[in-house]
Amino acid sequence: LYETSRFYSNIATKSNSFNKTPYWNESFSFPIFDYFERFTKSQNIRKEYLLQTKNSVCNGKCVFCRSRKGHMLYRDVKDVFLEIEYAHTHYAIKKFFFTDEDIFDGPNQYAKERIDNLCDLIIDSGYIIAIKCYMKANDLSNVNEQDHLLLEKMNKAGVVVVFVGIESGSQDDLVLYQKG
């Protein structure tokens, strides 16, 4: 492992952990399409395609956690759409699941704009697809008109299921754990 870590900027070891960067495959590749090639288009229609819009790290500082810390790196929205388009047109996939832990990264305006842009691309394509994703309860506000419009646009683009996570019933616990 030490020999390998010398050549890769994202593999850290006990003796070689300086100047390491988070792993992110910048190339636009399709690593799992071979699974869909084994089936007909009529069989693929029932299958679900999983994808992510960013690297899977947490930028929180929870006192009990030591894993996946790092800087959030976002995929280009056009690349995410091209992956959806490719899966849909080549393999007849109609169900997509964004497996990002939180599609919005908390109440984050940049993430909302990214999702808004992605929805525009999907709507403009005319594709009839179904999308599932995760979000946290505080990502969108009931009193914010822009959030209502974004939810409507997400539904028009094909978002049919949103798993809403609730961190805690107690703000004191979140402060104690430094959940952020």
Side-chain angles (χ1 to χ4, degrees):
L1 184 61
Y2 171 73
E3 288 299 316
T4 304
S5 75
R6 286 185 353 182
F7 301 108
Y8 295 97
S9 64
N10 58 336
I11 297 177
T13 64
K14 184 177 179 181
S15 61
N16 184 8
S17 61
F18 294 103
N19 298 322
K20 297 300 177 175
T21 59
Y23 174 73
W24 185 252
N25 185 355
E26 292 293 338
S27 65
F28 184 50
S29 61
F30 308 117
I32 64 163
F33 281 125
D34 60 328
Y35 168 74
F36 297 104
E37 289 176 358
R38 292 184 282 161
F39 299 96
T40 65
K41 287 186 174 185
S42 62
Q43 292 171 313
N44 283 336
I45 287 173
R46 291 184 225 103
K47 299 186 182 325
E48 191 168 68
Y49 184 77
L50 310 178
L51 70 156
Q52 291 189 304
T53 66
K54 57 190 175 284
N55 62 342
S56 186
V57 300
C58 177
N59 53 12
K61 296 180 178 25
C62 303
V63 295
F64 54 81
C65 181
R66 296 178 47 107
S67 66
R68 297 185 325 183
K69 300 295 183 195
H71 177 68
M72 192 68 67
L73 300 172
Y74 295 92
R75 288 181 63 196
D76 185 88
V77 171
K78 183 72 172 169
D79 285 345
V80 174
F81 173 74
L82 289 173
E83 187 172 350
I84 291 169
E85 181 177 58
Y86 189 87
H88 183 67
T89 58
H90 285 78
Y91 299 103
I93 296 167
K94 294 184 179 289
K95 299 179 195 173
F96 296 87
F97 189 177
F98 291 98
T99 59
D100 302 308
E101 308 80 31
D102 180 358
I103 198 76
F104 294 113
D105 301 323
N108 178 332
Q109 189 58 37
Y110 176 70
K112 289 178 183 181
E113 290 169 7
R114 288 174 41 76
I115 298 305
D116 186 69
N117 292 338
L118 180 60
C119 288
D120 284 339
L121 291 170
I122 294 169
I123 292 166
D124 292 346
S125 74
Y127 298 148
I128 307 297
I129 59 176
I131 301 169
K132 297 190 307 191
C133 64
Y134 296 109
M135 66 176 271
K136 291 182 181 166
N138 67 341
D139 286 344
L140 302 176
S141 169
N142 192 35
V143 297
N144 184 335
E145 181 63 27
Q146 295 297 349
D147 287 354
H148 282 273
L149 294 173
L150 180 57
L151 276 176
E152 288 174 12
K153 184 181 278 189
M154 289 171 64
N155 185 249
K156 187 175 180 182
V159 176
V160 293
V161 175
V162 179
F163 296 99
V164 180
I166 299 172
E167 287 290 330
S168 172
S170 167
Q171 184 62 34
D172 291 339
D173 288 347
L174 298 177
V175 170
L176 174 66
Y177 299 143
Q178 298 177 15
K179 286 290 290 180

